[in-house]
Amino acid sequence: MDQFDRTRRKLMTGLAATAATAAAMPAAAQPSSGPLRQAPTERRLGIAIVGLGSYGRYAIERLATARHAYPAGIITGSPERAREVAERYGIPPDAIHGYDDYARLAGDGRIEAVHVCLPVGLHAPHARMALAAGKHVLVEKPMASTQAEAEALIDAATAAGRILMPAYRAWFSNALQEVLRRAREGLHGELRSVDAHKGFAMTLPEGNWRFEPVLSGGGCLVDIGIYSVQLQRWIAGGLPLRVTAMAHHAAGDARYSRVESDISWLAEFAGGVLATGSASWTYRLQNRARIGFTRGWLDLDPATPGIGERLRLGTDGPNRVEELMLPLREQVPLMYDAFAEACRGRAPVPVSPEEGLADLRVIEALMRSVRSGGPVAV
């Protein structure tokens, strides 16, 4: 058995286990009394990280710097790795739970919410498990593998009376919010175009879950193109009316036999706003967006890093180009704080689960266009 088969079998076994446990749990299990139940921290929300891959480790490091939330537990299939991480962040050993341990998690009052940082194909199953265990859920992008999964997840959150939020850190960018404000207020005339591109040279080897459609949900579009899809929707103020897309599978590279390595698209929004976008795993790093108005333009470059966005403005009358100097903020801790305040009932949910559903609607339309070779309605 090669590394690909071992990795796939391990992850698919975990998926089956979570589904079996979900079936055995009540639809809206509440934390029960028991040795694990502790009074929740009044000032900060206890969050468990689900998965200790590269992003899970990145996330817990930033969660530890949040003001209104803190790392309260770990849910993992790697207990040895979890013990090392738990010790570093002051997480008690009995706050480490396995992927098949959600029934026990329901009784752990220290953990009030989870952040799902697993491969895309495991997002919805683990989010459902956490909701059934009575926990609020922050889930990485995309929120699920399909629209249907996302809709079912939203219904599960409503039934459980818990908050479900896609982990869209870019929403907490000062630069992006300034772009949205200027577009909304019409400071530079009417919006005409949104050009957004993101890509990098993929170095992960064959056998990584990103190249397995069941686990990844797709290729570069799902992984990084979703950032450009979000920007276009947010700036244009809704879903596109129709999209046209073309995708490419890099020749001679077995990693891309079942998922795309490159994709480009055109999207038409209401009012004649045209958006062009692309995502790639084959070219040198780029991460940019150009927003065109009738009397100027805004340029985000880089557009959606975790920190370090830059925003330039170009205008007519008089002609000028300037950089808008805005405070730089690391987005992930801010996302945790906003999520925590919403879970505490002190603020509205900043990014609704319907935002995650909207992205999947666009992504599925783009892939239908790739298959059909023509424009499709969203």
Side-chain angles (χ1 to χ4, degrees), residues 164-187:
L164 171 67
M165 175 175 145
Y168 286 179
R169 59 163 178 75
W171 182 256
F172 302 92
S173 159
N174 269 342
L176 173 61
Q177 289 299 326
E178 180 66 9
V179 169
L180 297 179
R181 183 185 73 82
R182 289 170 178 265
R184 183 173 60 249
E185 296 178 6
L187 297 185

Side-chain angles (χ1 to χ4, degrees), residues 197-327:
H197 305 271
K198 187 156 184 166
F200 63 92
M202 172 61 76
T203 58
L204 291 171
E206 184 181 0
N208 185 272
W209 63 266
R210 286 170 179 80
F211 312 118
E212 165 55 57
V214 172
L215 293 174
S216 67
C220 62
L221 173 61
V222 168
D223 186 44
I224 54 177
I226 189 171
Y227 287 101
S228 296
V229 168
Q230 290 166 7
L231 287 180
Q232 291 172 346
R233 287 196 306 101
W234 291 341
I235 295 168
L239 287 168
L241 304 175
R242 60 189 62 84
V243 295
T244 305
M246 295 183 295
H248 177 65
H249 299 254
D253 193 330
R255 296 177 299 176
Y256 305 123
S257 61
R258 290 178 295 168
V259 296
E260 77 282 355
S261 58
D262 306 85
I263 188 169
S264 296
W265 67 85
L266 172 67
E268 180 186 355
F269 289 84
V273 175
L274 295 180
T276 55
S278 71
S280 175
W281 278 340
T282 64
Y283 56 55
R284 187 177 182 277
L285 178 67
Q286 64 173 294
N287 179 1
R288 57 188 174 84
R290 172 67 69 94
I291 302 96
F293 301 91
T294 53
R295 298 196 305 273
W297 52 261
L298 290 165
D299 189 69
L300 278 167
D301 191 358
T304 55
I307 187 172
E309 324 87 286
R310 295 183 65 181
L311 178 60
R312 292 191 306 150
L313 166 67
T315 61
D316 293 332
N319 292 331
R320 76 181 192 277
V321 174
E322 63 178 298
E323 183 163 353
L324 302 178
M325 306 305 293
L326 301 168

Side-chain angles (χ1 to χ4, degrees), residues 57-79:
R57 295 192 301 274
Y58 168 90
I60 198 169
E61 180 179 336
R62 282 143 186 84
L63 174 55
T65 70
R67 296 176 55 205
H68 301 298
Y70 72 101
I74 298 170
I75 301 169
T76 179
S78 304

Side-chain angles (χ1 to χ4, degrees), residues 40-207:
T41 304
E42 290 184 3
R43 294 183 58 81
R44 295 189 297 159
L45 185 81
I47 299 178
I49 298 295
V50 184
L52 284 179
S54 59
Y55 193 83
R57 295 192 301 274
Y58 168 90
I60 198 169
E61 180 179 336
R62 282 143 186 84
L63 174 55
T65 70
R67 296 176 55 205
H68 301 298
Y70 72 101
I74 298 170
I75 301 169
T76 179
S78 304
E80 296 82 8
R81 182 190 299 175
R83 281 191 288 271
E84 295 176 6
V85 175
E87 185 176 353
R88 185 179 313 140
Y89 294 103
I91 297 171
D94 63 349
I96 299 172
H97 300 268
Y99 289 145
D100 57 352
D101 239 2
Y102 279 90
R104 188 169 75 94
L105 178 70
D108 193 338
R110 297 164 298 186
I111 297 171
E112 301 168 83
V114 304
H115 181 185
V116 180
C117 299
L118 293 168
V120 175
L122 302 177
H123 285 181
H126 280 266
R128 285 198 303 271
M129 292 292 298
L131 290 167
K135 310 303 179 182
H136 302 292
V137 175
L138 184 67
V139 60
E140 275 306 310
K141 51 81 182 168
M143 191 170 73
S145 294
T146 65
Q147 290 185 63
E149 274 192 346
E151 289 168 347
L153 198 54
I154 292 171
D155 289 343
T158 301
R162 295 295 182 265
I163 287 174
L164 171 67
M165 175 175 145
Y168 286 179
R169 59 163 178 75
W171 182 256
F172 302 92
S173 159
N174 269 342
L176 173 61
Q177 289 299 326
E178 180 66 9
V179 169
L180 297 179
R181 183 185 73 82
R182 289 170 178 265
R184 183 173 60 249
E185 296 178 6
L187 297 185
H188 310 296
E190 296 181 8
L191 177 68
R192 305 310 304 152
S193 66
V194 185
D195 185 45
H197 305 271
K198 187 156 184 166
F200 63 92
M202 172 61 76
T203 58
L204 291 171
E206 184 181 0

Side-chain angles (χ1 to χ4, degrees), residues 8-24 99-100 121-122 125-126 128-129 214-215:
R8 184 170 185 269
R9 176 169 292 183
K10 181 178 179 182
L11 287 167
M12 294 307 291
T13 299
L15 177 58
T18 58
T21 309
Y99 289 145
D100 57 352
L122 302 177
H126 280 266
R128 285 198 303 271
M129 292 292 298
V214 172
L215 293 174

